[in-house]
Amino acid sequence: MTRIVYLNGQWLPETEAKVSIFDRGYMFADAVYEVTAVIDGKLLDHAGHAARLKRSLDALGIPMPVSEEALTDLHHEIVARNGLDQGLVYLQISRGAEDRNFVFSEGMTPTFSMFTQDVPLLANPKAETGLKMVSMPDGRWANRQIKTVQLLYSSLAKMEAKRNGADDVVFVEDGFITEASSANFHIINGSGVLVTRPLSNALLHGITRAAVLTLAQKADLAVEERAFSIEEALAAKEAFITSAGAFVLPVVSIDGMAIGSGKPGPLTAKLRRIYIEDQLAKAIGR
Ligand code: PDD
C-alpha cells in the first residue's frame, strides 16, 4: 500500500515525495523530529510532542513552519488520509536546503515532512517476553574519527563564531584542543616544534594533516604528536589548520588574543607552499 505523506504543504504518494540532496538535514543532521503514537486513530500525548518540537526548533533557531493548530490538523489529516488505526506519525523539520556550507544563511525555508507507520503498538510480544539488553559506553557523539554527516554541533558552533566576528572555532575537551570545526588544528611552539594532537577518536584523521606532517618532517621541522591546551596555543609562535578545502591556513588569534606576532607566520606559509606544490605535482587527472 502506498502511503500518503506530507511534504512542504503538499500531500503526495510516498514515492513522489523528494527532498534535495542539499537539504541540511541530509548533509549536516540539521533537523529535528518527533514520533507520536496513534491508537484507534487518535493521537497520544500530542501536546507534549508539540511542545518538545517547539523547544527543539527554538534551540536550533529553526522557525516553526506552521501554527500550533495547523500542526495538530496535519497530524489528524495524515492519520485520516492513511486510514491509520494503530501506529506512529513521524515528523521531521530541517533548516532547509542550500549549497553546502557550515555557516548557513539566515531565514532559510525549513523542509517539513511527515509520514505514518502502521505498527501494532498494543499487541507487542515483547510486553510478554521482556527485552534482552547489552551495555555500551555512551558514545553520542564521541567518534569524531568517523567522517559522518553528524555535523550539527560543528555547524552551529561555526555560525556562532561568525556572529561573534570570528572565522572558525577551536574545540576544547578536558582542557585540551581537539580540532577546529572542520579542520585539524596545529601549533609551532617556541622551540620551533610542530605540535599536533595524536590520532584518536577525539578528532577526524585528516588526510591533509597526514600529508603536511610528512612534508614537515622532510623539511626538517620536528613534529611532536601530543595534546595541547589553549594556553599552549596562545604561547606558540604560530598556529594553523589543515583540511581539504583550506589546505594550510594560518590562525592568528583565539578569543581575541594574538598567537605569536598576531600575523600569519613564516613556517605556516612555507608549509602551505610546499603542501600545494607537492599536491599539484601528484594530483591525478583522468
Ligand atoms: N572537513 N576535522 C574535521 C572535523 C573536518 O571536518 C575536516 C575536514 C578535517 C580535515 O580533514 P581532511 O584534511 O581530510 O580534509 C578535520 C571538510 C573539509 C569539510 O567538512 O568541508
Side-chain angles (χ1 to χ4, degrees), residues 100 102 147 179-184 204 206-209 242-245:
R100 185 176 186 267
F102 280 72
K147 199 163 171 63
E179 57 181 333
S181 70
S182 58
N184 293 120
L204 186 71
I207 305 303
T208 319
R209 174 191 178 280
T242 54
S243 80

Side-chain angles (χ1 to χ4, degrees), residues 208-219:
T208 319
R209 174 191 178 280
V212 167
L213 294 190
T214 303
L215 288 171
Q217 278 158 331
K218 271 196 202 154

Side-chain angles (χ1 to χ4, degrees), residues 135-187:
S135 67
M136 277 185 205
D138 192 337
R140 300 175 291 167
W141 184 241
N143 281 307
R144 300 165 207 145
Q145 81 282 14
I146 305 170
K147 199 163 171 63
T148 98
V149 296
Q150 188 166 308
L151 294 170
L152 178 58
Y153 187 79
S154 310
S155 175
L156 293 178
K158 198 159 183 172
M159 193 70 190
E160 180 70 14
K162 190 192 161 204
R163 287 186 184 125
N164 291 322
D167 295 298
D168 204 348
V169 184
V170 57
F171 289 132
V172 180
E173 185 174 60
D174 300 330
F176 294 106
I177 289 173
T178 52
E179 57 181 333
S181 70
S182 58
N184 293 120
F185 184 89
H186 326 267
I187 57 171

Side-chain angles (χ1 to χ4, degrees), residues 1-285:
M1 194 195 82
T2 305
R3 285 169 289 189
I4 297 297
V5 304
Y6 176 84
L7 178 62
N8 299 329
Q10 286 188 294
W11 296 103
L12 299 165
E14 62 179 86
T15 48
E16 284 172 34
K18 301 272 168 30
V19 176
S20 165
I21 62 162
F22 295 105
D23 197 274
R24 287 182 54 90
Y26 182 67
M27 280 194 298
F28 288 98
D30 192 358
V32 302
Y33 75 101
E34 281 294 333
V35 176
T36 305
V38 174
I39 304 282
D40 295 336
K42 292 178 187 156
L43 302 166
L44 272 57
D45 230 337
H46 174 67
H49 290 286
R52 186 173 59 192
L53 176 65
K54 186 165 179 346
R55 287 201 301 277
S56 301
L57 288 169
D58 285 351
L60 297 187
I62 299 175
M64 179 70 205
V66 296
S67 69
E68 260 177 60
E69 301 74 55
L71 181 74
T72 307
D73 272 358
L74 285 172
H75 276 81
H76 291 315
E77 183 74 21
I78 200 162
V79 168
R81 281 183 184 253
N82 289 283
L84 186 68
D85 178 53
Q86 225 179 96
L88 303 167
V89 175
Y90 178 90
L91 167 162
Q92 182 169 324
I93 300 171
S94 83
R95 195 180 304 275
E98 67 175 8
D99 202 1
R100 185 176 186 267
N101 194 334
F102 280 72
V103 174
F104 52 84
S105 302
E106 306 277 5
M108 291 180 64
T109 305
T111 302
F112 183 1
S113 59
M114 290 170 79
F115 59 82
T116 54
Q117 288 180 302
D118 198 335
V119 188
L121 299 176
L122 291 178
N124 189 335
K126 295 290 178 189
E128 304 304 321
T129 60
L131 301 167
K132 292 178 191 151
M133 313 287 274
V134 292
S135 67
M136 277 185 205
D138 192 337
R140 300 175 291 167
W141 184 241
N143 281 307
R144 300 165 207 145
Q145 81 282 14
I146 305 170
K147 199 163 171 63
T148 98
V149 296
Q150 188 166 308
L151 294 170
L152 178 58
Y153 187 79
S154 310
S155 175
L156 293 178
K158 198 159 183 172
M159 193 70 190
E160 180 70 14
K162 190 192 161 204
R163 287 186 184 125
N164 291 322
D167 295 298
D168 204 348
V169 184
V170 57
F171 289 132
V172 180
E173 185 174 60
D174 300 330
F176 294 106
I177 289 173
T178 52
E179 57 181 333
S181 70
S182 58
N184 293 120
F185 184 89
H186 326 267
I187 57 171
I188 294 169
N189 73 11
S191 315
V193 176
L194 193 170
V195 184
T196 193
R197 188 163 174 136
L199 298 181
S200 71
N201 63 354
L203 70 164
L204 186 71
H205 300 186
I207 305 303
T208 319
R209 174 191 178 280
V212 167
L213 294 190
T214 303
L215 288 171
Q217 278 158 331
K218 271 196 202 154
D220 288 330
L221 191 63
V223 173
E224 214 174 291
E225 293 192 59
R226 61 171 175 78
F228 55 94
S229 64
I230 289 280
E231 291 69 35
E232 192 173 352
L234 286 170
K237 269 201 222 155
E238 301 184 28
F240 62 95
I241 59 164
T242 54
S243 80
F247 302 151
V248 175
L249 277 186
V251 175
V252 293
S253 73
I254 300 174
D255 299 329
M257 289 173 278
I259 296 171
S261 64
K263 296 206 168 71
L267 286 170
T268 301
K270 181 177 173 183
L271 288 172
R272 180 175 173 86
R273 183 172 49 74
I274 61 178
Y275 172 75
I276 293 173
E277 274 170 17
D278 182 65
Q279 285 299 321
L280 292 183
K282 295 192 305 203
I284 58 164

